[in-house]
Amino acid sequence: MKVVLITAGAAGMYCGSCMHDNALARALIAQGVDCALQPVYTPIRTDAESIADEHVFLGGIHIYLLQQMPWLQHLPAVLRRPLDWPPLVRWATRRAASTDASKLGELSVSMLMGIEGNQAEEVRRMVDWLGSEMKPDAIVLSNLLIGGALPEIRKRLPQSKIAVVLQGDDIFLDHLPEASRLQTIQLCRGLVQYVDHFIANSQFYADKMGQLFAVPENKLSITPLSIDLAPFANVTDRRAGSSGEFRLGYLARIAPEKGLHHLVEAFIQLASQAEHQDLSLHAAGWLGPANADYLAALTSKITAAGLADRFTYHGSPDLAEKVSFLSSLDLMSVPTDYQEPKGLFVLEALAAGVPVVLPDHGAFGELIASTGGGLLVPPSDSAALCEAIERLKNDPQQRKQLGRDGQTNVTRKHSISGAAEQLHALLSGLNQF
């Protein structure tokens, strides 16, 4: 089987979807599938070695300029091709998060219009590449928002299976102006007919996005969220308390929606008590320019509480640094405000034997039910979060048991090799998830 996995780059930041797509493509190749990982918009950034093609279709600079200056489409393609040079795309899109939401809304609508939009020639170029050079048996898109080319792909490759992963679409949509959001949803609904399978990593997200995009139930499949377990193979159990320090951790993008401020509040409340003088807080994750003030405000709040020497921001770790960071923790919590559709950081912590405390919304409940690796608390409830952290801090036996159970069940149920086998079976028509 020949598979093309099309993934959307995230403008230079570490992106969970990109990292998962990269790991999935590697696993498919290891199982004998001829798989190509093709970025669109921007090159991808992963914490492991990337196997993605360096070339980018629908380059972020190119499509943005075509949207703002449609007359550019009349210039010879050879004059516009330098706009897709990967180093230039990386440089120009590194501050993409600051792009005006209304312009992003207009661009999203135009891209979803495919050959009816301002980027028609670029859409055709990608379809020509798929139809003339790749000729895949199956095409997998990392989300529906990059699916504007689907009608042309279906026309050009009528026998190819088409699958779309549902992950993070709602987060992007919620940042658009309401008129663009509604139009984008309508266009996405119109693309559903061209897709054979929609894949979600949780029942929560399958239900939510299935309703939003009007996806027929018989097109929806659920496969457990998965990670590459190899980097965690040699992680040993942390000897809690051996350094006289209890390390509470956070690993996720540094952004308000990820809820670091809730964890900071809980940390200050607990660490200010005499019986928790050994408690320290360690945060790691990608920090974009737009959220630098957010982290600075949290750091100032910790300093004002007299706890600056017990808080460390470890930056944005690569894979080896991430494994080392996780294995140094006693407990991890990412108390998100929004309903997390995936939560790769949960599986990574559990793979390192570290139990978690999470809000009971989004996909977290299903992950905890599957792994048995942590506790759930009501969302945005600081008192409940403090209570759960204190409970596990004071009960090393329960903490160790949760860590062991989580590690065992992640290995059994959430390996990337298992996800690759399930995807191959689905695309081959052998079985449903």
Side-chain angles (χ1 to χ4, degrees), residues 373-402:
L375 302 180
L376 296 169
V377 298
S380 304
D381 188 331
S382 296
L385 181 61
C386 279
E387 182 182 348
I389 292 170
E390 185 173 34
R391 171 183 163 188
L392 291 182
K393 181 176 183 291
N394 292 336
D395 190 344
Q397 287 305 117
Q398 184 186 18
R399 196 170 66 245
K400 289 179 182 178
Q401 187 62 54
L402 289 172

Side-chain angles (χ1 to χ4, degrees), residues 54 142 241-242 250 267-268 298 343 346 352 356 428:
E54 180 68 8
S142 64
S242 61
Y250 168 101
F267 165 67
I268 291 173
L298 294 179
V346 178
V356 295
S428 302

Side-chain angles (χ1 to χ4, degrees), residues 224-246:
L225 189 66
S226 56
I227 60 171
D228 182 0
L229 295 167
F232 299 91
N234 297 318
V235 170
T236 55
D237 289 339
R238 171 171 162 73
R239 294 184 296 278
S242 61
S243 64
E245 176 188 12
F246 186 93

Side-chain angles (χ1 to χ4, degrees), residues 20-21 24 28 140 163-167 197-206 219-227 341-344 347 363 366-367 370 412-427 431-433:
H20 186 267
D21 291 345
L24 184 61
L28 286 168
V140 181
V164 172
V165 182
L166 296 171
Q167 51 179 347
H197 303 286
F198 285 88
I199 302 167
N201 296 134
S202 66
Q203 188 65 56
F204 151 74
Y205 208 62
K219 287 192 175 186
L220 279 167
S221 299
I222 299 172
T223 181
L225 189 66
S226 56
I227 60 171
K342 298 193 301 293
L344 287 169
L347 299 183
E366 293 174 60
L367 284 178
S370 175
R412 287 181 53 239
K413 304 177 184 179
H414 297 274
S415 72
I416 198 69
S417 60
E421 290 174 1
Q422 290 177 316
L423 178 60
H424 188 198
L426 182 71
L427 297 177
N431 69 311
Q432 296 281 334
F433 296 165

Side-chain angles (χ1 to χ4, degrees), residues 238-249 267 276-282 309-312 314 325 328-331 393 399:
R238 171 171 162 73
R239 294 184 296 278
S242 61
S243 64
E245 176 188 12
F246 186 93
R247 295 169 66 96
L248 174 63
F267 165 67
H276 297 304
Q277 292 299 305
D278 58 341
L279 179 63
S280 61
L281 177 60
H282 298 263
D309 60 334
R310 291 158 64 183
F311 170 69
T312 305
H314 295 259
F325 172 77
S328 76
L329 302 179
D330 293 288
L331 181 65
K393 181 176 183 291
R399 196 170 66 245

